[in-house]
Amino acid sequence: MDTATPPARALVVGSPGAGKSTFARAMRDACGLPLIYLDMIWHTPDKANVTCEQFDRRLTRELARDRWIIDGNYLRTLERRLERTDTVFLFDLPVDICLAGAAARISQPREDLPWVEHELDPEFADYIRRFPTEQRPQLMDLLAARPSACRLVTFRTHAEADAYLARLRAGDDERTRTAQGAFIPGGRRGGHVDDSVRVNGDSYCSVSMARMLGIAQVAAASSTMATPVPANHRGAPTASANRLDAARPTGMAQDMIAP
């Protein structure tokens, strides 16, 4: 099995419900990197939020660390994070999968949110449906303008994310055996992840996703995604990428308000 080189400072971005936090936790466990949830910085247990100034001060402290995984979009500050990141993991999944993921976590205590959701907020579900046309273009523009040393790894199915984690764990096992002086037939030291990971796993569904799809009842939604921007494209971000969208709903705001 090909191995994956573990990142030192990683971002995990994409639509709400796509599986970002689940992946971030798995990578934390595989690599031993501290995991920072931007939702936990922005939100308070009473479903309010801190000020942008408070958020920025905390983010500055976290970015100064040598190693981390940061989970969340928050487009206003994404450019700052990209300057410090060596690898970005983009979850570019269909809308119906994201809706199922959001519905599956209802009534579940979560370490990435300071309260328990008891229903899928209709406004939040609508935000997920509109993500491909409203948030994704801004996100892709910012990623296209990332520093040249920053890798972009794109997952379009959960199977691709699972395959990457398997490669990461295989690399960790290999590095451990190599450090102990063991002979590894056909082994590789390190590994390389292309800018865009492609795995023929569309028919594969991870255990976590099977559980999600088994219990989630969501309305049908369009799964058509905008044409992806090539990972090696470098362009200027749009002027709208760093503005707050005044039309975003309040309440269950998780990724809907991006400080």
Side-chain angles (χ1 to χ4, degrees):
M1 175 185 289
D2 247 357
T3 60
T5 303
R9 293 180 298 279
L11 299 182
V12 186
V13 298
S15 172
K20 302 188 303 294
S21 298
T22 300
F23 174 83
R25 285 189 287 273
M27 191 164 60
R28 171 195 62 190
D29 296 342
C31 301
L33 295 172
L35 175 54
I36 302 154
Y37 298 110
L38 294 183
D39 283 334
M40 292 296 287
I41 299 177
W42 176 241
H43 293 297
T44 57
D46 61 355
K47 300 187 180 182
N49 53 265
V50 301
T51 66
C52 287
E53 291 76 14
Q54 291 172 318
F55 180 92
D56 288 351
R57 286 196 296 269
R58 173 71 184 279
L59 179 61
T60 296
R61 292 198 300 271
E62 300 296 353
L63 289 176
R65 301 176 186 272
D66 292 331
R67 303 169 70 247
W68 37 254
I69 303 166
I70 297 180
D71 168 39
N73 296 328
Y74 291 81
L75 298 184
R76 183 181 67 86
T77 59
L78 181 55
E79 188 173 3
R80 286 181 57 199
R81 282 173 276 142
L82 288 169
E83 291 173 354
R84 284 280 294 153
T85 300
D86 59 60
T87 307
V88 181
F89 297 94
L90 169 64
F91 277 74
D92 199 13
L93 274 65
V95 168
D96 56 340
I97 297 298
C98 297
L99 285 168
R105 60 196 187 192
I106 299 302
S107 300
Q108 302 296 320
R110 295 161 49 193
E111 66 180 67
D112 57 301
L113 194 68
W115 65 79
V116 176
E117 302 166 296
H118 295 291
E119 62 179 358
L120 181 59
D121 189 321
E123 291 184 337
F124 185 56
D126 190 52
Y127 174 78
I128 294 175
R129 292 187 185 97
R130 292 184 287 108
F131 188 90
T133 56
E134 295 188 2
Q135 297 300 307
R136 186 181 182 278
Q138 299 178 43
L139 174 60
M140 297 304 291
D141 283 345
L142 287 165
L143 293 180
R146 70 190 185 277
S148 58
C150 178
R151 298 181 300 170
L152 176 62
V153 180
T154 299
F155 302 128
R156 292 185 173 85
T157 68
H158 287 104
E160 292 180 358
D162 289 345
Y164 176 87
L165 289 169
R167 295 172 62 202
L168 194 64
R169 296 185 185 106
D172 183 63
D173 291 343
E174 179 181 317
R175 284 184 289 274
T176 299
R177 290 193 298 268
T178 302
Q180 295 171 346
F183 174 70
I184 309 169
R188 294 178 56 191
R189 300 178 186 275
H192 175 71
V193 179
D194 292 336
D195 272 351
S196 190
V197 173
R198 301 282 196 276
V199 178
N200 293 325
D202 288 346
S203 61
Y204 173 88
C205 186
S206 66
V207 173
S208 60
M209 198 58 205
R211 188 179 298 115
M212 287 181 183
L213 294 175
I215 66 174
Q217 300 296 326
V218 297
S222 172
S223 62
T224 302
M225 306 295 285
T227 302
V229 177
N232 61 355
H233 173 71
R234 300 291 185 268
T238 61
S240 61
N242 290 323
R243 68 174 174 84
L244 291 174
D245 185 355
R248 288 177 190 156
T250 56
M252 197 286 148
Q254 200 164 355
D255 272 338
M256 297 155 65
I257 298 177

